[in-house]
Structure formats: structure tokens, C-alpha cells
Amino acid sequence: MPTQRPPRPEPETPPARPVLADDPPRFLLLEREVEIEYRPQMRAALQSKVDAVAAAARGTSPVCPHCGRRMRCQDTREISWLARCGRRHASVSRYRCPPCRCESRPLLDLLGVEPGRVRGALARLLALLATVAPYPLAARLAGLLLGVTISPMGLWRVTQRLGQAAAHYREALSRYHADSRSPGAPTQAAPPAVVLGVDGGSLGMQVRSTRRHRQDGETLPPLPPVEDGRFREVKTGVLLLPSERVETSPGRRTVVRRFLVTGLGEADAIFARLYAQLRELGWVGAYTVVVIVGDGAEWIWNRASLFVRRCEILDFWHALEHAWEFAQLRYGEGSAQADRWVHEIAEDLRAGKVQEVIARLKRVRPKTPELRQSLQALIRYYSENAGRMRYDEYLRLGYGIGSGAVESAHKQVVQARFRQAGMRWSEAGARRLLALRLLLLNENWALLDRLRMVSLA
């Protein structure tokens, strides 16, 4: 029987209650005093600039986009919107073309604002919070960091509108580069080789296609249960240059720069976006070798032919996983003999001796049908991918032999935000938020300043 530990003796004196300082640090108080003192001046300065723009635009009637006639002023109303330093307002004239029944408010288009909406830098900051944190938590962070009170649903609307703009721009860019007549970025400085990695995972999807609305106080029926298989495939790709891998410590390398691509749905779409990103960067020249690293999934190799000059690499660690499955079945799980056997296989594969490994496996005489079946699967896997397992050559060229970069990217893009407990996504909501995550992780968030918020109708 296990021996019982003696009870821990009580301390002679009880612990003292932790003591808080009487006042916050003086510098913290000074910061808040300055913010309170100058915030009204910031609001007044911003309002004066808005008024100046409105005065300059006043008196100029717009032209009807359909018939080309001058539009008539119907009325002028005071409208307001929410900005970073508070609610701002302006007198906005509404113009109308009677024959075409077309209306326009040119001042709103010039300022890029809408009545009653969150606009400007505040909208971008709120979307940034929602890009890194769930909507309820992001709404609380908005109060703590920005001093803005907003509901999770209000934050969701802002994020979805900016996300739709980012997703639309990304899709249009893919269509642009998919056309051979479209010029890409200059390729005079195209690298001799670029590494491309692709990985996929599942994303939990919602069980309803439309939002439910309560009418006349009725009780909404319960949501249907989440069915097995109610998931969508989300794929992530990463682009990097072999020359930008640096050794941070012995045997450990990191990437100085990388570009991420992701998307829901078909494999063709992710490869089209990867190709568009390569052309946008100017990384695919006439003599550029595209090094494709994959885990052996057929959908990756079937689309690698998109690149004429390519080098296909089977991920080294996935190749070892298949050897581990046979070794544990043959020698027992966790046995030292299995560990030694796989270590020998790994050393030979790293040295480029894949044919010697296959020949050695063919000499093994399994004793049970289960072992025989596992061995044949391992031999077949190595034989089919032998041309992608010249690891000594890949290491010499600096290409790398693992898919760790893309697996890490997939965790950062998808799992860190989309795979938290109980999360279920609509296809549109996931697509928009993925577009914003890419802008953030690709260090291209400033691009959002040049995108207009779009309607979700």
C-alpha cells in the first residue's frame, strides 16, 4: 500500500492580505489628465476640417451617372457618424435626377462616411480587435483600450463590412493574375527558388444558413443539433525564400519573411491564390524553381503541374510517421528496438538512400497478415514518393525538407482564432475574417485604409 504523507503543518501566523497602493502611479494620472484635457480640442479640430471639406463641396451639383444631366438638390439634412474621437456631424445635401430616379449625396462619398455608422480609424481599430479575439472579448477590449462602448453585434457588423471589402479585393486580385494578359510585378529580381507549402484542416460550420428573427415576442425553436461531418475544409499556403532562412540556434532555423494565403473550399482556389501572390510579389520568373513541400496528399501533387519549373518534396516527418506505424506494430509501442529501427531509417533517408531503404524493407519477412499489410503499405508509399525524397539534395540546396512552416502558419491563421471551444462559422463570416487575418499576419493591415466599407445586403 502506498504510504500516506503526513499533513502539512499550519504556518505560525496567517498570511497577510495583499495591500493595494492608495493611488495609481503619478505618470499614469498625468497621461489621463492630458487625454481628458485635449480630447475636446481634437474633436473641435476634426469637426473644423470636416466643415471645411463640406464648404468646398457645397454648391457643386453632381452629374447623373446614367443620363449625364446635372442632378437637382432635393434637401439638406444634418447627419452624424461615430469616429475615433467621438461623434461627428455635417450638413449633407441630397441630389436627385428625376428622369432616372437616381439619388446621390456626394459629401458622404467624398468623406467615406455613412449616417449613424462607425467609420474611419475607429472602424479599422475595432476590426483589428475582432481579428485577434472573439467578438464578445473584442467588445470588452474596445472599452478598455479605446474607451468605446459597443456591443458584440455592432463590432461584428463593422468587422464583416471591412472583411467583405478585403475578401473582395483578394478574389479580384486572383482573377486579375489568372488572366495571362494581365501584367504582374517586375520579375527582373525574381529569386532562383521559392518554397511553397500547403496544408489543410477542418472548420466547424453553422447548422443554419440564415439568421433567425423573433417576431411579435414568439419563442424561437431550438437550433438543430450539430451533425457529424458538418465541417468545411480550410486550406493555408505559405510562400518563402530559401535564402531567407536563418539559423537561430544549432539545428534550428527560422524564416525572416513569409507570405500567407488561405481560403475555404476547393484546392484549385488555394493554388490560384498562391500563383496570384507569386505574381504580385514578382517571385516567379522564367528561371524560378517553385519548391512544393507537402505531406503526401494527392490534391497537392495533382495541382503542382501548375508550375512548369518545380521541385516536389515529401515532408520528411510525414515519411517517418509511416515508418513509425510499422515499427510499433512490429516491435511494440514504445519499445527501444522500434526507436532504433526508425532512427536508422531516418538517417538513411536524410542521406538520400531511399532506394536502399526500400530494398531493405522488401527483405523483411513479416510473421502475421497484419504486419504484412502494414509493410506493403510502407513500401508502396516510399516507392510512389521516391522522386520526392532526395533529402540530401534538398538540404544541400537549402530548400528544407519539412512542412513545419506551413503547419505553423495554419495554426496562426486558422486555429488560433477559428478553432476555439464551441465556435461555428457561416461561410461568409469565415471568408471575411480569414481575409482580415491575412492582412494582419502578412503585415499589410495598412491596405485596409484604401478599401471602402461595403454593404452586407
Side-chain angles (χ1 to χ4, degrees):
M1 294 181 63
T3 57
Q4 295 184 354
R5 293 183 178 179
R8 301 179 67 179
E10 292 290 337
E12 297 181 0
T13 58
R17 180 182 177 84
V19 178
L20 296 173
D22 294 334
D23 297 306
R26 183 60 178 170
F27 181 73
L28 179 60
L29 294 176
L30 293 176
E31 284 184 312
R32 291 176 178 171
E33 288 176 5
V34 170
E35 184 177 2
I36 294 173
E37 179 181 354
Y38 286 94
R39 182 175 287 272
Q41 299 181 25
M42 293 175 59
R43 286 198 294 264
L46 179 59
Q47 185 63 55
S48 67
K49 291 182 179 294
V50 171
D51 294 339
V53 173
R58 191 176 298 119
T60 305
S61 59
V63 177
C64 177
H66 300 290
C67 65
R69 300 177 182 176
R70 288 287 177 181
M71 305 175 75
R72 298 177 182 176
C73 181
Q74 291 293 111
D75 54 35
T76 300
R77 298 179 180 178
E78 190 82 7
I79 65 103
S80 66
W81 63 93
L82 189 61
R84 175 69 181 88
C85 58
R87 188 167 293 277
R88 299 297 85 205
H89 57 85
S91 296
V92 179
S93 299
R94 179 170 61 98
Y95 294 85
R96 190 171 187 271
C97 178
C100 302
R101 297 181 179 180
C102 178
E103 292 187 355
S104 173
R105 289 185 286 186
L107 180 58
L108 294 186
D109 297 334
L110 179 62
L111 293 173
V113 299
E114 293 179 71
R117 300 284 189 177
V118 178
R119 304 299 293 197
L122 178 59
R124 272 72 180 174
L125 292 173
L126 292 175
L128 178 61
L129 294 177
T131 301
V132 299
Y135 293 113
L137 177 57
R140 291 196 290 271
L141 290 175
L144 293 173
L145 299 177
L146 306 176
V148 175
T149 301
I150 188 170
S151 67
M153 182 54 67
L155 191 79
W156 176 87
R157 291 191 186 96
V158 174
T159 305
Q160 293 295 301
R161 296 187 67 186
L162 283 171
Q164 177 64 23
H168 179 74
Y169 174 80
R170 188 181 62 171
E171 292 163 4
L173 196 64
S174 294
R175 290 193 300 268
Y176 171 83
H177 285 296
D179 193 324
S180 59
R181 298 167 296 181
S182 303
T187 58
Q188 290 83 357
V194 57
V195 176
L196 182 156
V198 191
D199 193 19
S202 58
L203 194 65
M205 306 303 292
Q206 293 179 353
V207 296
R208 52 182 171 82
S209 57
T210 58
R211 296 192 62 82
R212 306 185 305 164
H213 298 280
R214 191 190 310 273
Q215 296 180 355
D216 301 329
E218 65 176 344
T219 302
L220 292 175
L223 288 171
V226 179
E227 303 174 0
D228 292 336
R230 187 68 178 182
F231 295 92
R232 280 291 304 276
E233 182 82 5
V234 57
K235 296 179 175 63
T236 302
V238 62
L239 300 171
L240 56 94
L241 299 180
S243 58
E244 294 185 349
R245 275 197 176 108
V246 297
E247 191 170 7
T248 56
S249 59
R252 185 178 182 86
R253 293 180 177 270
T254 187
V255 178
V256 175
R257 180 176 52 158
R258 64 178 183 178
F259 291 91
L260 308 179
V261 178
T262 190
L264 286 171
E266 301 298 329
D268 292 333
I270 190 68
F271 270 86
R273 289 171 183 168
L274 284 166
Y275 179 71
Q277 184 67 65
L278 282 172
R279 293 196 71 205
E280 185 72 7
L281 295 169
W283 279 9
V284 55
Y287 301 101
T288 302
V289 176
V290 179
V291 182
I292 304 168
V293 183
D295 58 4
E298 287 297 325
W299 66 269
I300 297 178
W301 309 129
N302 291 340
R303 290 160 180 84
S305 58
L306 175 66
F307 306 100
V308 178
R309 296 178 61 85
R310 66 183 183 274
C311 173
E312 301 176 6
I313 300 178
L314 177 69
D315 175 48
F316 178 75
W317 305 108
H318 280 84
L320 284 189
E321 282 184 9
H322 288 73
W324 266 112
E325 293 176 2
F326 173 72
Q328 291 177 350
L329 190 62
R330 183 185 183 187
Y331 299 109
E333 187 172 354
S335 66
Q337 195 172 1
D339 184 74
R340 288 193 301 271
W341 187 83
V342 174
H343 181 74
E344 293 175 1
I345 294 288
E347 290 297 322
D348 288 342
L349 290 179
R350 191 183 292 271
K353 302 177 181 178
V354 60
Q355 296 299 337
E356 288 85 340
V357 170
I358 294 174
R360 188 193 316 164
L361 292 174
K362 289 181 178 179
R363 292 194 295 268
V364 175
R365 295 293 179 262
K367 298 181 181 179
T368 64
E370 186 179 10
L371 273 176
R372 190 178 304 112
Q373 183 179 0
S374 178
L375 177 61
Q376 291 301 320
L378 179 60
I379 294 174
R380 183 168 56 252
Y381 183 77
Y382 281 180
S383 300
E384 292 175 353
N385 292 284
R388 305 182 180 107
M389 299 171 67
R390 301 191 298 270
Y391 296 122
D392 59 332
E393 179 182 347
Y394 307 145
L395 290 172
R396 178 176 54 82
L397 294 172
Y399 294 164
I401 58 176
S403 60
V406 67
E407 291 179 4
S408 171
H410 188 74
K411 291 178 181 178
Q412 293 181 37
V413 176
V414 179
Q415 296 186 19
R417 178 65 178 89
F418 292 82
R419 295 288 298 273
Q420 299 185 35
M423 284 188 173
R424 291 292 184 269
W425 298 89
S426 67
E427 183 167 348
R431 179 171 53 84
R432 294 163 184 161
L433 200 57
L434 281 171
L436 292 177
R437 293 279 294 179
L438 284 183
L439 290 180
L440 178 62
L441 294 174
N442 283 335
E443 299 182 7
N444 200 19
W445 189 260
L447 179 68
L448 208 58
D449 294 346
R450 294 184 285 162
L451 294 177
R452 292 294 186 96
M453 295 178 70
V454 299
S455 174
L456 297 180

